[in-house]
Amino acid sequence: MYSNGNLSYDLISLALQAPEYTNVCFWYFPPKMRDLYPWSMKEPTNEETGRRLTRVAPLLKYRMTEKGSMMVSYQPLGTLPNFFRMALATPSSEEDMDWLLDEIERLGNDIYVE
């Protein structure tokens, strides 16, 4: 969960717990799918969870590209399903991060994968 002091975002979970230089790796959980995944997970608990989660990033990436609002890449890693990988460039302000998370939520709030 990310919090900026005023708002709390429960829509992401870090895919990689250790920092990878300026890369932030995370999964986006659409509202209709949030109750399916434990927030403490380090990786999906079963194949079905991974199959569903891996389809979220490409759908959201398509929407980002179609709108032209941002470019964030995604990829799998080993047995981990697709996650977003964002390389941060300095200076990235809190306002920038808040906007990014708000935009992800706007574009992905109706995604549901069966």
Side-chain angles (χ1 to χ4, degrees), residues 15-16 27 42-44 54 75-83:
L16 302 177
W27 287 291
K42 295 197 185 332
E43 62 183 88
T54 205
Q75 67 187 61
L77 178 64
T79 61
L80 297 176
N82 285 327
F83 56 85

Side-chain angles (χ1 to χ4, degrees), residues 3-9 94 98:
S3 176
N4 70 1
N6 297 323
L7 297 172
S8 187
Y9 298 92
E94 279 188 42
D98 290 342

Side-chain angles (χ1 to χ4, degrees), residues 11-25:
L11 58 107
I12 64 170
S13 177
L14 293 177
L16 302 177
Q17 300 301 314
E20 294 287 329
Y21 299 96
T22 61
N23 289 301
V24 176
C25 302

Side-chain angles (χ1 to χ4, degrees), residues 2-7 9 93-104 106:
Y2 165 81
S3 176
N4 70 1
N6 297 323
L7 297 172
Y9 298 92
S93 68
E94 279 188 42
E95 292 82 19
D96 292 337
M97 296 298 98
D98 290 342
W99 180 87
L100 176 115
L101 294 173
D102 288 341
E103 184 69 355
I104 288 173
R106 276 190 294 276

Side-chain angles (χ1 to χ4, degrees), residues 25-36:
C25 302
F26 61 93
W27 287 291
Y28 169 71
F29 294 87
K32 294 178 183 175
M33 297 174 68
R34 288 184 188 158
D35 61 333
L36 302 177

Side-chain angles (χ1 to χ4, degrees), residues 24 26 61 64 70-74 84-86 100 104:
V24 176
F26 61 93
K61 171 69 174 196
M64 291 175 192
M70 60 183 163
M71 292 288 294
V72 180
S73 59
Y74 68 87
F84 286 103
R85 183 177 54 84
M86 188 174 74
L100 176 115
I104 288 173

Side-chain angles (χ1 to χ4, degrees), residues 36-50:
L36 302 177
Y37 307 105
W39 291 114
S40 62
M41 77 177 188
K42 295 197 185 332
E43 62 183 88
T45 55
N46 62 51
E47 192 173 307
E48 177 65 13
T49 299

